[in-house]
Amino acid sequence: EIAMAGGCGGPRRVAVTTILPLVVLVRLAGALLATPTLRRHIQHHPQTTPTTRYPSQCRRRIEQRRCPRRDAALDPAQASTPPSVVVVGGGAIALLTAKTCAGAGYRTSMLSRRPDFDRAVLDDSTASNPVALLPVASDADADAFAARAAAADGLVIAYDSEKTLPDKLLDIVLPETSAVRRVAVLSRHLSGKGIAAPLQAASKAAANREVWCPTPGLVQQLRDFERRVAERAARVGADVVTVRCGTLKGGGPGEVSTSGATAGVALTDYGLDKYYYDTLVDLGVATTTMAFDRFTLGAEVVAGDPYTMPNPVLAAFAGGSFEPSTTDAGRTAVAGALLAAVRRPTGAEFTVSSAAGKAPPSPDEWRRMIDTAVRTA
């Protein structure tokens, strides 16, 4: 018991069991207040003392992510130091997105299992701002990548194949101490229920292995991954922009000369190096890829995930086509959309599809298309 001052009746004695709940509640309130988002805000704004002055108002303001630093658009032109972006994933779309971000002025790093091959496909060694390819050959490499990821302003997750980021790698790129402000995730059309595995296999065999016609299990796997990314991003106060598409096509430089002294020389540089075409062992895929990069570099944007996946027969027929389609998207266009996603000041979800065009949309055109689609949804 604890003696407390009383009135005319003398000291009162209060049982400790009535005090302890109050202590627990005070400590619990402090724990709720000290969220990762709020702790980071205090680090960036040391003059703020939310636990001693207007705590509820400060916590509500920070949890709504209205901190000017975190809400500012990640635009190299508006920053004294170019924002940093880390790209994780695999395939041509990850490489192309990294090249696109670096070309826009971002300090761009990418986890690479084959640095020499990736550098040849990027062909940016003479660029003023080349992509930093981070190998994973040793523990020291892994530690260096983890430090780079934790300090990044933007994170892009993009896979060419039907893969998702493993949880262990997700822990590394989005730790509790992450300073990331924007997470751009490439996902796919998930509005259908998926198709049976034998039909999926037949469709891929008839068209190409990159055609998007997922099984129900793969649809659920991607939905679960999107949920995990959203949860991790919420913990660190970052906004998530989900970019959806169907079958990915193209990704090379664009127009290639076919005659004269310049035969075989790339005349445009919208995507990866011409060497990318040489890595495509399937003749049909290579032909479609090069045609797509010549005639179908345009893009259309709609909010959400409105397009249903094609049935496997239609998917097989469309797999080798370079005609514009709501269920196809160019890698060059999707890379531009992911860059635009990093630049957005708030989260969003939109779908990119292909359109006829000899050149991809400019950064300003991407901003207008995405803003219009999201605003009118």
Side-chain angles (χ1 to χ4, degrees), residues 299-301 361-362 364-374:
E300 294 184 354
V301 178
S362 67
D364 285 341
E365 288 172 331
W366 273 118
R367 179 182 54 79
R368 288 195 295 270
M369 287 193 297
I370 295 170
D371 286 346
T372 299
V374 173

Side-chain angles (χ1 to χ4, degrees), residues 125-141:
S125 57
T126 60
S128 59
N129 184 35
V131 176
L133 296 175
L134 306 180
V136 286
S138 66
D139 290 342
D141 291 338

Side-chain angles (χ1 to χ4, degrees), residues 21-76:
L22 296 177
V23 176
V24 172
L25 286 174
V26 171
R27 289 185 177 276
L28 179 60
L32 290 174
L33 196 61
T35 60
T37 307
L38 185 54
R39 287 198 301 270
R40 277 192 308 280
H41 177 81
I42 297 172
Q43 291 172 1
H44 299 143
H45 307 278
Q47 73 277 11
T48 303
T49 313
T51 57
T52 59
R53 189 176 186 186
Y54 311 119
S56 61
Q57 295 178 17
C58 184
R59 180 176 185 274
R60 183 169 59 252
R61 176 181 172 81
I62 305 306
E63 292 303 328
Q64 289 176 345
R65 296 192 291 280
R66 285 154 47 192
C67 166
R69 177 188 175 275
R70 299 191 68 82
D71 278 352
L74 296 182
D75 189 347

Side-chain angles (χ1 to χ4, degrees), residues 43-312:
Q43 291 172 1
H44 299 143
H45 307 278
Q47 73 277 11
T48 303
T49 313
T51 57
T52 59
R53 189 176 186 186
Y54 311 119
S56 61
Q57 295 178 17
C58 184
R59 180 176 185 274
R60 183 169 59 252
R61 176 181 172 81
I62 305 306
E63 292 303 328
Q64 289 176 345
R65 296 192 291 280
R66 285 154 47 192
C67 166
R69 177 188 175 275
R70 299 191 68 82
D71 278 352
L74 296 182
D75 189 347
Q78 300 177 8
S80 56
T81 301
S84 59
V85 173
V86 168
V87 178
V88 292
I93 187 59
L95 286 167
L96 185 48
T97 301
K99 182 178 181 178
T100 303
C101 290
Y106 292 87
R107 292 177 292 131
T108 307
S109 305
M110 178 178 170
L111 190 64
S112 175
R113 300 184 183 278
R114 303 179 297 173
D116 293 338
F117 174 82
D118 289 344
R119 183 65 67 195
V121 176
L122 285 169
D123 189 34
D124 67 342
S125 57
T126 60
S128 59
N129 184 35
V131 176
L133 296 175
L134 306 180
V136 286
S138 66
D139 290 342
D141 291 338
D143 292 340
F145 172 73
R148 188 78 63 97
D153 297 296
L155 171 66
V156 179
I157 304 173
Y159 276 96
D160 237 43
S161 59
E162 298 169 349
K163 292 183 178 180
T164 57
L165 204 63
D167 282 347
K168 290 184 178 180
L169 188 51
L170 189 58
D171 290 337
I172 294 175
V173 299
L174 271 178
E176 291 287 346
T177 57
S178 174
V180 72
R181 291 185 267 167
R182 211 80 68 241
V183 179
V185 181
L186 175 61
S187 189
R188 301 299 184 97
H189 296 163
L190 302 179
S191 56
K193 296 180 180 180
I195 62 174
L199 292 177
Q200 181 202 43
S203 178
K204 289 179 176 291
N208 66 68
R209 59 185 176 83
E210 298 173 343
V211 69
W212 177 246
C213 51
T215 62
L218 180 56
V219 170
Q220 189 58 49
Q221 178 183 334
L222 283 169
R223 286 174 177 159
D224 291 341
F225 175 67
E226 290 179 16
R227 174 183 51 77
R228 291 197 302 274
V229 171
E231 291 172 351
R232 301 291 181 89
R235 292 178 193 173
V236 301
D239 291 306
V240 177
V241 181
T242 302
V243 180
R244 299 191 182 279
C245 67
T247 299
L248 286 166
K249 296 180 178 179
E255 189 78 24
V256 177
S257 176
T258 58
S259 62
T262 60
V265 176
L267 303 178
T268 56
D269 186 24
Y270 296 130
L272 297 172
D273 185 69
K274 179 180 170 291
Y275 174 62
Y276 168 61
Y277 294 143
D278 298 334
T279 68
L280 304 174
V281 296
D282 186 298
L283 180 60
V285 172
T287 302
T288 301
T289 299
M290 289 186 281
F292 206 93
D293 289 337
R294 291 185 61 193
F295 305 111
T296 326
L297 288 175
E300 294 184 354
V301 178
V302 293
D305 185 15
Y307 301 132
T308 57
M309 295 170 283
N311 66 56

